[in-house]
Amino acid sequence: MDKKQKMHELRIFAAEVRLETLKVIKARGFGHVGGSMSLADAMAVLYGDVMNVDPKNPTWPDRDEFVLSKGHGGPVMYATLGLKGYYPIEEAYTLNQPHTKFPSHTDHLTTPGVELTTGSLGQGISEAVGAALGKKVQKLGGRVYVAVGDGECDEGQVWEAAEFAAHYKLDNLTCIVDVNGMQLDGPTDEIMGQGKGLAAKFDAFGWKVFEVEKGNEVEPIWDALQEALKVKDAPTAIVLHTHKGLGATFAEVSMEHSSQPSPEKWAEAIEASEKQLSDVRNEKV
Ligand SMILES: Cc1ncc(C[n+]2csc(CCOP(=O)(O)OP(=O)(O)O)c2C)c(N)n1
């Protein structure tokens, strides 16, 4: 398949992920819309093309693994894994309800395809570093991908993981840094300034960094991930500049962290998302 066609398919997948993320959260009525939607395009590129996974054989040792360190973004992962075939997507419409397999934060013990349990910010990247080292020690194939939030990077544990990964030259580890500029209670810069920025910080910790200004477009994300595959002897960070809540009409302007819109606002958002999907499907390639 040529690259243009591939990007078109990934744009469609990203629009499907956005729509299903909204449906998953709507079924509960409230949840983490903002940080789910900012990551939708990266999830689509990873699971739609880049990652080597098999939903029919989810524990195959040489698979690529993904860890959602910003575990509150569970809905975007459930949407992606459902669309990818790990389970019927409708199962995820039980988000955060009693006895569900889809808790608000990702849990390895409950959800097919979720590799590691996250939710306490900072821990997921440490787990991912351990998984990448484990692959090296056991001489297994596959890579480990992990997604952290920019607010999450206020956690010291992120930087312990970062120095460890560089020290052990974990070139089978790629960290997606979702720089949407916001965290739970306000703009990331106002809560805790991040100096010269997260690209400079990962670089200073010995990572090879790729910065993507259009972090909600599939093609530059895909290009950066291809470059990351070529790097030897260092972990890679893909710093994505994204928009919190993108594609959710009630959240994308306010960039709110979690949302509980009225039924009317939900209906409006679903309709807009369905239209976006149909527009992308009808794009001329
Ligand atoms: C250790 C820890 N402290 C606090 C929280 C509560 N919390 C959940 S999400 C969040 C903000 C995270 O911001 P960011 O990483 O930027 O996420 P995004 O904006 O991408 O959703 C906080 C403080 C937590 N989950 N874990």
Side-chain angles (χ1 to χ4, degrees), residues 2-209:
D2 75 357
K3 190 177 174 192
K4 262 190 167 175
Q5 183 63 29
K6 191 196 293 263
M7 293 307 129
H8 178 60
E9 291 190 5
L10 289 177
R11 275 196 299 280
I12 293 173
F13 191 35
E16 289 172 342
V17 167
R18 281 212 160 78
L19 176 59
E20 284 304 330
T21 300
L22 287 178
K23 287 188 178 174
V24 165
I25 302 175
K26 178 176 177 281
R28 187 70 182 100
F30 58 88
H32 290 108
V33 173
S36 292
M37 298 299 262
S38 59
L39 205 55
D41 309 279
M43 294 300 282
V45 174
L46 284 169
Y47 280 92
D49 185 64
V50 173
M51 280 177 57
N52 202 5
V53 291
D54 179 3
K56 303 275 171 294
N57 189 8
T59 57
W60 159 49
D62 292 323
R63 70 193 180 283
D64 289 337
E65 300 184 30
F66 175 79
V67 182
L68 184 66
S69 192
K70 41 172 268 186
H72 58 281
V76 75
M77 187 150 189
Y78 304 149
T80 308
L81 293 175
L83 289 165
K84 185 77 184 168
Y86 283 83
Y87 39 77
I89 185 66
E90 293 74 21
E91 284 188 16
Y93 298 170
T94 59
L95 177 78
N96 216 6
Q97 298 195 22
H99 311 297
T100 182
K101 286 197 271 178
F102 302 88
S104 65
H105 297 58
T106 41
D107 185 340
H108 167 66
L109 296 177
T110 58
T111 316
V114 170
E115 300 280 2
L116 289 164
T117 299
T118 57
S120 182
L121 297 171
Q123 291 188 1
I125 183 168
S126 298
E127 297 173 69
V129 164
L133 181 65
K135 275 189 178 292
K136 292 245 179 211
V137 170
Q138 295 174 76
K139 301 197 187 324
L140 293 174
R143 301 174 64 78
V144 178
Y145 293 91
V146 55
V148 298
D150 53 352
E152 178 176 9
C153 290
D154 290 350
E155 291 286 343
Q157 187 171 355
V158 170
W159 303 105
E160 292 178 54
E163 64 185 4
F164 185 100
H167 181 82
Y168 286 98
K169 301 185 180 357
L170 298 181
D171 53 11
N172 59 346
L173 177 70
T174 295
C175 181
I176 308 289
V177 189
D178 183 5
V179 183
N180 58 32
M182 299 291 284
Q183 50 181 286
L184 188 152
D185 40 5
T188 301
D189 280 350
E190 286 177 20
I191 307 291
M192 185 61 67
Q194 291 173 324
K196 292 179 179 163
L198 293 172
K201 281 186 129 166
F202 275 94
D203 178 71
F205 274 75
W207 290 50
K208 174 75 183 159
V209 178

Side-chain angles (χ1 to χ4, degrees), residues 234-282:
T236 40
I238 315 271
V239 177
L240 298 181
H241 294 273
T242 62
H243 187 113
K244 194 158 180 167
L246 187 69
T249 46
F250 53 78
E252 64 187 2
V253 176
S254 58
M255 296 187 277
E256 62 196 8
H257 185 69
S258 48
S259 308
Q260 187 168 11
S262 64
E264 295 72 33
K265 295 270 178 207
W266 267 122
E268 188 183 293
I270 298 285
E271 194 184 326
S273 190
E274 283 170 344
K275 177 167 184 320
Q276 198 217 347
L277 173 57
S278 117
D279 288 350
V280 180
R281 283 195 175 129
N282 291 330

